[in-house]
Amino acid sequence: MICSIPTNEQLCLTTKVPPDRFDMEKDAALYGGNSVFRNQPSYKVFNKSFEHVDDALYTLLNEVDPEVLRMELKETSDVFKSFNRNSALRDPRNNEVPERPIRDLSTVTSLYSFPNPLERHSELNLTQQAACMRVLLAWQRRQPVDEQDFVVWQATEKKRCNEQQRVQKHIHDHENGSKEVIYAPMKSLVAVYRKWYELGVRKLIQAYPNDSYMTFSGLPQLPQCRSLNSQTASIEQVELERTVGRVRLWREVKVRHEAMRTLRLRLDRYATREAREPVQLLRKEDKELELEAGNVFVLPLDSLLMLLTTGSYIDLPTEMFVSLRESPSSRHKCMEFQSPFPARNCGWHTNSLILKLAYGAYISQPGQAEWLDYNINGAVQEVPNEPACDKSSIDLHMVYKPQAIDQQSSDVLDGNCNNALVSWTLRSKGEGEECNDFQIFSTLSIPAVRDSNVKDPLGCHFIKLENKPDCGCEIMSKYELISAWLQLKLLRVEMGHCTRISLRDFEPMLEEKLTLMSLEQQLHDYYNTSMPQLLSNLCEFLKLLDTVPVGDYLLRYSPKYKDKFLLCIVTKEATPQSFELHKLLTESSPSDQAFLTQSSYLPISPTLCGRLHEELQLLPCAFPAKANGRSVQRRKVVVPRPEPSRQAPVRRQSLKKWSETQSRELRRRHKAGQKKRARARKKAAANEEKIQLEKIMTL
């Protein structure tokens, strides 16, 4: 039998009992509390801290725009694992991340260190290196040398020469291994040079039409222009015809640290400014007067350097215009060269050019330097210092226009420049008494004068960037040496100047004095170049140019034809071999790729003591000396002996007793043979090392 249990509803229907009574009886043991606190959250919600992430007020006050912290929201796992340069603080002056955010200038610390990971040490001790350094500094400053120091210098000559070759090889390997790191600061100079190049190309496009050019003929370069007879040439009868513009009055030739620090941050502001058009100093009347006596050559200094050094370096100009005119009365020719086009590859010389232009614009600002004004009539007067602000400070109606720091503003004045016209004679002398004279006019700028009477001009002033400041001072390039020699010759001055600046931080490294004798010695030692022979080759080149028909030409150098200059003329119809002038100038943007990929290397000078050597007490082209003062003996190179060939055993013979005289003679012969073989091994090892070092030095 199955029984069913009635539900509450059925009981309510049968007994007429209200349904709420069962619920009240079931929950009678629980107290519901006051009705005010019903349907409210637990007390734990109100007991939270203010910094709790679920707090509404805390979330509202600390709400962050997702666009502001986009990098952190996307890469939260990598924020604390690596330093991201995109999130680093930038210098507002140049919008770059500083290399060292903190630098203590209160203490004198060395910013350079000689790269010596293998911890090699010098064969000279500390006392010997100090004595040799005092000798070099005395020669460098043109002071008398101490006799005891000179004795040490002569006694350690062999050790120093051997160590110099090893250090040069060590530095060469160091540069090849870390070339990208060494030339990383060059990127900013390349960017500034691109802007300066665009300004120069824009002026050329406005001045010359877009004609098509094709090759007319070829002329040999100067190294191939050798005369059949041995002859030399010289520069004679130099006369300064006239000077126009402002020349700096520089009593003490020294570049200030503040100027270089300013240019490091504002290089773009001062370097990328349009230069003034040069004044035509050579009048037509002077040309006609000179043409009556013979041919006349107009060769600016830049054009002359292009003829003498084309093909030596990749960052030199390669094109310039040449016009050949014939006098109707005398039938003599006037051959006029224009300034070369800007170089399309960046390198050592373009870097120095940009820094020199920026420095010239910086010192032209009021209050930075003293100036002398040269009139066209030859009068010289001192330029008064102009006030920095012409308007009064109480002028309340002055217009204030804030500009970005990377834009050109009107308060940066154009650089003060000058042009000097020099007439000189290039005279070639052969074995006989016959001499050939070439009348040449050149234009160049005077760097500075030392006194207001204009009796002591400065022959030249170079700003050379040191690419390896941790290794020492590099030798000057062939282009720089020839340029300095020509400026000293044309201005008839015996002394020039070269300021060496670190490429890394634009800090001055050395103020070097240049003389004609030192320049000729460096050209002979480092580049095997003789200036009389080079000028003789220039004479032969000008003779060949005299045979070219009259007209306007574009003189061009192409790496495809390394031994020739290409003379190009205008063609009316375009051909597959022709090229357009404007396309040649704008088809590529200047870069440093070609410079970094080629094997270009400047050795360290063994005679220049710069800032690195004075701070570290290190002899140029030498390893650091040991701290205990002891010299390190060089390990001798051991030549491996060939293993003797195995021979068949010989029948044992009866021992023969030697007399004392025979034994002494046998020992003497064996000892002489041992010494001879030892000398041969040393000589072979030295020759092998010399061959390896010569391969490096020829680079």
Side-chain angles (χ1 to χ4, degrees), residues 130-143:
C132 294
M133 269 199 64
R134 288 193 294 268
V135 172
L136 290 178
L137 288 174
W139 287 342
Q140 192 169 293
R141 298 166 183 171
R142 287 172 172 77
Q143 297 175 354

Side-chain angles (χ1 to χ4, degrees), residues 650-665:
V650 184
R651 290 184 62 184
R652 190 172 182 179
Q653 299 179 357
S654 58
L655 295 177
K656 183 179 180 181
K657 190 174 182 180
W658 295 83
S659 64
E660 185 178 353
T661 306
Q662 292 176 340
S663 301
R664 193 183 304 113
E665 180 66 20

Side-chain angles (χ1 to χ4, degrees), residues 70-253:
R70 178 169 49 87
M71 295 294 295
E72 285 75 4
L73 292 175
K74 287 185 177 181
E75 303 177 0
T76 54
S77 60
D78 298 334
V79 169
F80 301 102
K81 292 182 180 180
S82 63
F83 178 72
N84 194 343
R85 296 183 70 89
N86 294 330
S87 62
L89 295 177
R90 295 179 178 271
D91 191 341
R93 297 169 294 183
N94 53 10
N95 199 24
E96 293 182 358
V97 178
E99 298 178 359
R100 290 184 295 271
I102 299 176
R103 181 178 173 185
D104 187 8
L105 297 178
S106 60
T107 59
V108 180
T109 57
S110 177
L111 302 177
Y112 310 102
S113 60
F114 185 78
N116 191 17
L118 299 180
E119 296 184 358
R120 301 179 181 177
H121 295 285
S122 174
E123 295 184 18
L124 278 67
N125 55 33
L126 287 173
T127 306
Q128 292 173 337
Q129 282 207 7
C132 294
M133 269 199 64
R134 288 193 294 268
V135 172
L136 290 178
L137 288 174
W139 287 342
Q140 192 169 293
R141 298 166 183 171
R142 287 172 172 77
Q143 297 175 354
V145 182
D146 186 74
E147 294 183 1
Q148 296 181 357
D149 294 342
F150 190 69
V151 170
V152 177
W153 172 269
Q154 288 184 326
T156 58
E157 182 177 3
K158 186 176 181 181
K159 290 184 179 180
R160 284 186 291 101
C161 294
N162 294 335
E163 190 169 351
Q164 284 175 12
Q165 296 179 351
R166 297 198 304 276
V167 172
Q168 293 285 10
K169 182 179 183 301
H170 169 72
I171 296 175
H172 177 266
D173 297 340
H174 166 70
E175 180 176 347
N176 287 341
S178 56
K179 196 168 188 177
E180 295 182 359
V181 178
I182 291 175
Y183 290 101
M186 182 178 166
K187 299 297 181 183
S188 60
L189 292 165
V190 173
V192 175
Y193 181 78
R194 287 198 187 103
K195 297 182 181 180
W196 181 83
Y197 178 84
E198 292 175 0
L199 293 176
V201 167
R202 192 182 308 163
K203 294 178 65 175
L204 289 174
I205 290 177
Q206 295 174 358
Y208 298 98
N210 190 19
D211 295 330
S212 296
Y213 288 82
M214 64 179 301
T215 303
F216 171 73
S217 65
L219 292 175
Q221 287 191 21
L222 265 67
Q224 281 69 39
C225 294
R226 294 185 179 273
S227 176
L228 297 178
N229 302 322
S230 59
Q231 64 178 12
T232 58
S234 59
I235 296 177
E236 299 181 3
Q237 300 178 4
V238 180
E239 293 292 339
L240 181 61
E241 299 292 340
R242 62 182 63 90
T243 304
V244 177
R246 290 186 175 182
V247 181
R248 183 180 181 183
L249 179 57
W250 207 357
R251 293 181 173 87
E252 183 182 0
V253 184

Side-chain angles (χ1 to χ4, degrees), residues 283-451:
R283 304 185 183 96
K284 292 184 178 180
E285 298 81 7
D286 299 337
K287 290 183 183 178
E288 295 296 333
L289 185 62
E290 294 291 340
L291 283 173
E292 294 180 1
N295 294 338
V296 174
F297 299 88
V298 181
L299 263 171
L301 179 63
D302 295 340
S303 305
L304 181 58
L305 286 172
M306 177 179 165
L307 294 179
L308 296 175
T309 61
T310 296
S312 301
Y313 302 95
I314 200 170
D315 59 335
L316 296 180
T318 54
E319 298 94 9
M320 63 179 171
F321 283 111
V322 183
S323 63
L324 306 181
R325 298 285 184 267
E326 188 177 17
S327 175
S329 58
S330 61
R331 295 297 180 181
H332 292 145
K333 289 183 180 180
C334 176
M335 308 176 197
E336 186 170 359
F337 292 78
Q338 303 297 329
S339 295
F341 296 173
R344 289 193 292 274
N345 289 310
C346 300
W348 296 321
H349 306 94
T350 57
N351 295 343
S352 300
L353 173 64
I354 287 298
L355 188 56
K356 183 179 179 181
L357 293 174
Y359 181 72
Y362 174 77
I363 62 174
S364 300
Q365 308 312 307
Q368 296 296 335
E370 302 178 37
W371 298 90
L372 299 176
D373 196 357
Y374 285 73
N375 296 330
I376 192 68
N377 300 325
V380 182
Q381 61 181 358
E382 191 169 350
V383 180
N385 290 330
E386 300 177 359
C389 183
D390 297 336
K391 296 185 179 181
S392 175
S393 59
I394 61 175
D395 186 6
L396 302 180
H397 301 285
M398 59 185 298
V399 180
Y400 177 70
K401 296 180 180 180
Q403 295 182 351
I405 198 168
D406 57 344
Q407 294 180 358
Q408 292 186 4
S409 56
S410 58
D411 60 339
V412 179
L413 305 177
D414 292 337
N416 293 323
C417 57
N418 62 83
N419 289 324
L421 178 64
V422 178
S423 64
W424 52 287
T425 302
L426 181 62
R427 179 168 297 174
S428 62
K429 302 176 183 178
E431 294 181 352
E433 298 181 356
E434 182 181 1
C435 296
N436 295 323
D437 293 346
F438 299 88
Q439 183 62 42
I440 300 177
F441 290 90
S442 297
T443 55
L444 69 161
S445 62
I446 300 177
V449 292
R450 298 178 185 271
D451 58 352

